[in-house]
């Protein structure tokens, strides 16, 4: 009964935190340097997205759950009527970050009582971590981790995406380190977001590594793609995934 109550409370916390509205390309909200982007490069090359499977089971929530999620999942470009709470579990987190890696955030080692909540939407499952009171709620299922290290410019770039829509970045510029956090609706169009979801549904978890010699300095680019599908990406598909991650990172950091 306690877990059921927390699940309902959690849904209302998410809905209260939302800020629905149409995506605007002209300005990346929250960019530290106040930069804008007009007609940014597509995150995925045209005609390169595999056909999405049509046999995904469609789960619907109760009217109470759908109403609670309505505002939040409008921001995520997801249909709130197809979001389902799968499970809610009591957990002891080992740190103040609720067990979630966030670049630039220092986590205090301390036992934190809380919950792990599993949701399902659009054929994907993802977890949220929450503290006992629901005051801190964080998405916890990885979508991808992309890194670019070295080269003559001494790059130290990193992008982490948690499903359904949180992007954390870390990068170096002129010897200074920067971190930033965005929701994907601030940097992707609805179509681009749906393409990203298609790739997560279609491909399985895969690690991709690239390295190159630029002058005297090696440059390493790697991607861990946390797909939930069953298909292993071919070499051309791997390049599509790398390009997508780099373009998302570029929109945030430049």
């Amino acid at each position: 009964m306690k877990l059921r109550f927390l699940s309902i409370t959690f849904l209302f916390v998410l809905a209260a935190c939302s800020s629905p509205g149409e995506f605007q390309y002209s300005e990346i909200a929250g960019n530290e340097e106040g930069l804008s982007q007009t007609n940014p490069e597509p995150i995925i090359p045209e005609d390169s997205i595999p056909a999405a499977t049509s046999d995904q089971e469609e789960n619907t929530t109760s009217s109470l759950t759908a109403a609670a999620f309505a505002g939040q999942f409008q921001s995520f470009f997801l249909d709130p009527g197809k979001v389902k709470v799968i499970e809610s579990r009591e957990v002891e987190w080992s740190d103040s970050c609720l067990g979630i890696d966030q670049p630039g955030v220092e986590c205090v080692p301390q036992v934190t009582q809380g919950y792990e909540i599993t949701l399902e939407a659009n054929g994907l499952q993802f977890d949220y971590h929450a503290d006992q009171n629901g005051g801190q709620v964080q998405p916890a299922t990885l979508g991808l981790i992309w890194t670019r290290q070295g080269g003559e410019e001494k790059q130290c770039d990193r992008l982490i995406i948690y499903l359904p829509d949180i992007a954390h970045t870390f990068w170096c510029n002129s010897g200074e380190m920067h971190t930033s956090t965005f929701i994907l609706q601030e940097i992707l169009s609805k179509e681009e977001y749906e393409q990203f979801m298609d790739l997560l549904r279609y491909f399985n978890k895969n690690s991709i590594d690239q390295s190159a010699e630029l002058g005297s300095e090696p440059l390493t680019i790697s991607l861990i793609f946390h797909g939930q599908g069953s298909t292993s990406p071919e070499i051309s598909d791997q390049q599509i995934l790398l390009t997508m991650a780099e373009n998302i990172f570029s929109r945030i950091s430049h």
Side-chain angles (χ1 to χ4, degrees), residues 100-165:
I100 301 170
D101 179 19
Q102 302 178 52
V105 176
E106 184 175 352
C107 301
V108 179
Q110 63 182 30
V111 175
T112 304
Q113 301 293 329
Y115 299 89
E116 184 174 38
I117 301 129
T118 300
L119 308 177
E120 183 175 274
N122 285 15
L124 295 171
Q125 287 195 0
F126 43 89
D127 294 337
Y128 274 87
H129 292 182
D131 61 14
Q132 193 169 38
N133 299 322
Q136 184 180 1
V137 180
Q138 298 287 346
T141 297
L142 284 165
L144 62 82
I145 302 176
W146 174 85
T147 59
R148 181 170 55 194
Q149 299 284 339
E152 293 183 345
E153 298 182 3
K154 308 295 183 183
Q155 292 172 295
C156 64
D157 304 331
R158 193 178 192 199
L159 167 68
I160 302 176
I161 293 180
Y162 287 103
L163 302 181
D165 80 329

Side-chain angles (χ1 to χ4, degrees), residues 25-225:
Y25 256 136
S26 59
E27 183 175 353
I28 299 178
N31 190 302
E32 294 177 357
E33 299 178 11
L35 300 179
S36 63
Q37 293 203 359
T38 303
N39 299 322
E41 179 182 0
I43 62 166
I44 305 172
E46 294 183 3
D47 303 323
S48 61
I49 306 302
T53 57
S54 59
D55 58 352
Q56 300 288 352
E57 179 182 357
E58 292 188 354
N59 294 297
T60 59
T61 61
S62 66
S63 58
L64 175 62
T65 300
F69 264 120
Q72 184 72 358
F73 280 91
Q74 182 177 344
S75 296
F76 296 160
F77 307 128
L78 297 180
D79 183 351
K82 296 180 181 179
V83 178
K84 182 178 180 181
V85 178
I86 303 297
E87 187 180 2
S88 180
R89 303 168 291 278
E90 293 186 7
V91 177
E92 284 189 349
W93 306 115
S94 60
D95 56 44
S96 60
C97 294
L98 309 181
I100 301 170
D101 179 19
Q102 302 178 52
V105 176
E106 184 175 352
C107 301
V108 179
Q110 63 182 30
V111 175
T112 304
Q113 301 293 329
Y115 299 89
E116 184 174 38
I117 301 129
T118 300
L119 308 177
E120 183 175 274
N122 285 15
L124 295 171
Q125 287 195 0
F126 43 89
D127 294 337
Y128 274 87
H129 292 182
D131 61 14
Q132 193 169 38
N133 299 322
Q136 184 180 1
V137 180
Q138 298 287 346
T141 297
L142 284 165
L144 62 82
I145 302 176
W146 174 85
T147 59
R148 181 170 55 194
Q149 299 284 339
E152 293 183 345
E153 298 182 3
K154 308 295 183 183
Q155 292 172 295
C156 64
D157 304 331
R158 193 178 192 199
L159 167 68
I160 302 176
I161 293 180
Y162 287 103
L163 302 181
D165 80 329
I166 297 296
H168 299 285
T169 56
F170 178 98
W171 73 95
C172 299
N173 185 7
S174 301
E176 296 183 359
M177 296 183 182
H178 303 267
T179 61
S180 189
T181 298
F182 285 82
I183 60 173
L184 291 179
Q185 77 153 12
E186 296 176 315
I187 52 177
L188 303 183
S189 69
K190 181 177 180 179
E191 291 73 21
E192 289 172 329
Y193 180 84
E194 289 174 347
Q195 288 176 344
F196 181 38
M197 295 296 106
D198 284 344
L199 294 174
L200 288 164
R201 283 190 293 266
Y202 188 79
F203 292 120
N204 57 16
K205 182 177 179 180
N206 203 271
S207 297
I208 305 168
D209 290 294
Q210 282 189 345
S211 61
E213 291 289 339
L214 299 178
S216 59
E217 299 293 335
L219 177 67
T220 300
I221 300 174
S222 66
L223 173 67
I224 303 175
F225 186 77

